[in-house]
Amino acid sequence: MADNPLSKLLDQRPVTGLHFRVSLADMAGAASMLAGGVAGTKFSKVSGLKVYASINEKEVSKSDGPETFIEDIRYDDIILERGLTSDPTPFTLWCMQVFSEFARSNGSTKGVAATGSFAGNMKGFGGMTSVVKNLVITLMNEKGIPLIAWGIKDAVPISWDVSPLDAMTNSYVTETIKLKHKGFEILPIPGADMI
């Protein structure tokens, strides 16, 4: 184990959240992305990697008292933030495509909800299954070696926001993208099994 060069790069110490990338990809292509095959967009902040259970307490028997049951698993929306540049990212283009296609299909007048099973039932988007994308969020060390990666399933943008333009301040303009999704999983890192 001591002769393995990867054992010097990956260890069990807590990592910082400074180095990460977010990429649009098929889950099948996640391994090549993790190996550095596809460059991701440079966001300054990613939040929403949260999963939690909705629970309910029911009395099963009077002698044992109430028991806790999981009713549903829920995921927070993924929120991506970055400084706005004049060069649009694939994420920005994706958002514009989704919103313009939906507006063209007259969906905005139908009052359709943007929740539910995105891949299985696209009735809410007028059959526009092309709007659904998978993402890979990769946390890396300072040398660019992937440490952990999350695969986000069936994401769709629900908002795109540009911070206020204010002539009285000298602050950066940011864009924020909010995504609904069907869940995430931790992806295997290529080469981690060699350690």
Side-chain angles (χ1 to χ4, degrees):
M1 187 184 288
D3 295 335
N4 186 343
L6 285 176
S7 64
K8 295 177 183 175
L9 300 172
L10 303 174
D11 58 36
Q12 297 300 313
R13 292 180 291 180
V15 296
T16 64
L18 288 174
H19 307 283
F20 59 90
R21 70 174 171 235
V22 184
S23 305
L24 292 170
D26 292 331
M27 298 304 265
S32 66
M33 292 181 60
L34 292 173
V38 178
T41 299
K42 295 179 180 179
F43 287 98
S44 58
K45 187 175 181 181
V46 174
S47 58
L49 284 170
K50 179 180 177 181
V51 57
Y52 54 97
S54 297
I55 58 171
N56 188 8
E57 290 189 351
K58 296 180 182 176
E59 186 134 348
V60 178
S61 68
K62 293 186 181 192
S63 61
D64 293 337
E67 288 193 28
T68 302
F69 295 92
I70 294 177
E71 289 190 334
D72 193 19
I73 300 295
R74 299 183 180 269
Y75 297 90
D76 275 3
D77 296 339
I78 300 293
I79 300 172
L80 309 171
E81 298 176 49
R82 68 185 284 273
L84 186 66
T85 64
S86 59
D87 185 23
T89 69
F91 285 86
T92 305
L93 297 174
W94 174 41
C95 289
M96 295 303 100
Q97 174 199 2
V98 169
F99 298 135
S100 64
E101 281 186 28
F102 190 66
R104 274 198 304 269
S105 70
N106 224 4
S108 58
T109 62
K110 297 177 185 176
V112 180
T115 58
S117 172
F118 296 121
N121 182 3
M122 291 303 296
K123 291 179 184 173
F125 291 99
M128 297 175 359
T129 54
S130 64
V131 304
V132 177
K133 302 282 185 189
N134 293 322
L135 281 68
V136 176
I137 300 171
T138 309
L139 180 62
M140 301 169 289
N141 68 10
E142 65 279 357
K143 296 177 182 175
I145 306 292
L147 301 174
I148 187 169
W150 297 269
I152 313 299
K153 295 182 277 189
D154 298 337
V156 67
I158 58 170
S159 74
W160 179 77
D161 178 44
V162 173
S163 62
L165 308 178
D166 186 352
M168 302 302 288
T169 64
N170 189 21
S171 57
Y172 288 109
V173 177
T174 60
E175 71 173 329
T176 303
I177 299 170
K178 186 184 284 191
L179 307 169
K180 280 267 186 224
H181 60 97
K182 286 182 63 180
F184 59 84
E185 59 184 295
I186 296 177
L187 301 174
I189 303 292
D193 57 342
M194 296 169 43
I195 298 175

